[in-house]
């Protein structure tokens, strides 16, 4: 297996970034705790629309003036994935091979527009497409996921994307060194 824990042998060029990745995770992981505390104190929940009817009164009940905003459904993960493949003029086989996922799994995603992949699979596909961080977040959201600053695996993935490091074998070597989940064929 490619993932040897022998620290004396560098298994990839990405392992040179281990200290940088650890620092990035530590720096951003703490920041997320502060952000969550701030968001918890916000007066209205996310996706809430508040009308202008409260203009004359400084005392109002949330239920009187605010209502949940339910957005129209967007394209599914599968639809977004295949749109991106087409936009980048890639072939399906190039993408699933680069993502290191099984052709049969890829076929399931193609044949079922409502298919919801595992998070690691969705990330592997985003990396195979070499998406930037915003594009990756948008694709993951379509499967119900996000890259969060309170999950170390997510922070490592953010680091790779921000540094335009998309080689999944190399990324898995680093993830293994950091004792984090792997992506691609290692995910069933």
């Amino acid at each position: 297996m490619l993932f040897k824990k022998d620290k004396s042998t560098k298994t990839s060029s990405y392992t040179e970034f281990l200290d940088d990745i650890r620092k990035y995770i530590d720096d951003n992981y703490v920041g997320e705790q502060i952000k969550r505390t701030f968001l918890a104190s916000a007066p209205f929940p996310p996706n809430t629309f508040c009308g202008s009817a409260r203009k004359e009164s400084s005392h109002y009940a949330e239920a009187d003036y605010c209502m949940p905003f339910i957005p129209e459904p967007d394209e599914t993960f599968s639809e977004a994935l295949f749109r991106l493949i087409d936009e980048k003029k890639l072939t399906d086989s190039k993408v699933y091979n680069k993502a290191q996922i099984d052709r049969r799994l890829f076929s399931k995603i193609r044949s079922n527009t409502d298919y919801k992949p595992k998070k690691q699979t969705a990330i592997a596909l985003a990396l195979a497409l070499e998406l930037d961080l915003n594009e990756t977040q948008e694709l993951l959201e379509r499967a119900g996921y996000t890259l969060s600053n309170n999950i170390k695996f997510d922070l490592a993935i953010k680091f790779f994307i921000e540094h335009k490091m998309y080689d999944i074998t190399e990324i898995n070597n680093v993830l293994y060194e950091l004792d984090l989940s792997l992506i691609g064929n290692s995910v069933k």
Side-chain angles (χ1 to χ4, degrees), residues 53-80:
R54 59 184 163 168
K55 62 185 175 209
E56 293 184 18
S57 172
S58 60
H59 296 60
Y60 54 89
E62 180 179 335
D64 292 340
Y65 302 103
C66 297
M67 57 188 231
F69 172 70
I70 302 170
E72 291 293 318
D74 289 326
E75 65 185 344
T76 66
F77 174 84
S78 178
E79 292 166 338

Side-chain angles (χ1 to χ4, degrees), residues 47-117:
N47 296 330
T48 300
F49 172 77
C50 297
S52 60
R54 59 184 163 168
K55 62 185 175 209
E56 293 184 18
S57 172
S58 60
H59 296 60
Y60 54 89
E62 180 179 335
D64 292 340
Y65 302 103
C66 297
M67 57 188 231
F69 172 70
I70 302 170
E72 291 293 318
D74 289 326
E75 65 185 344
T76 66
F77 174 84
S78 178
E79 292 166 338
L81 173 67
F82 293 106
R83 177 184 47 78
L84 288 165
I85 290 172
D86 290 343
E87 286 174 4
K88 292 182 176 280
K89 297 181 182 2
L90 298 171
T91 63
D92 289 0
S93 61
K94 179 168 180 131
V95 172
Y96 68 72
N97 284 325
K98 190 171 178 185
Q100 296 184 6
I101 64 170
D102 186 73
R103 179 177 50 87
R104 290 173 292 185
L105 173 58
F106 194 81
S107 179
K108 282 183 190 177
I109 297 170
R110 177 169 281 294
S111 64
N112 181 354
T113 58
D114 293 325
Y115 186 84
K116 183 180 174 189

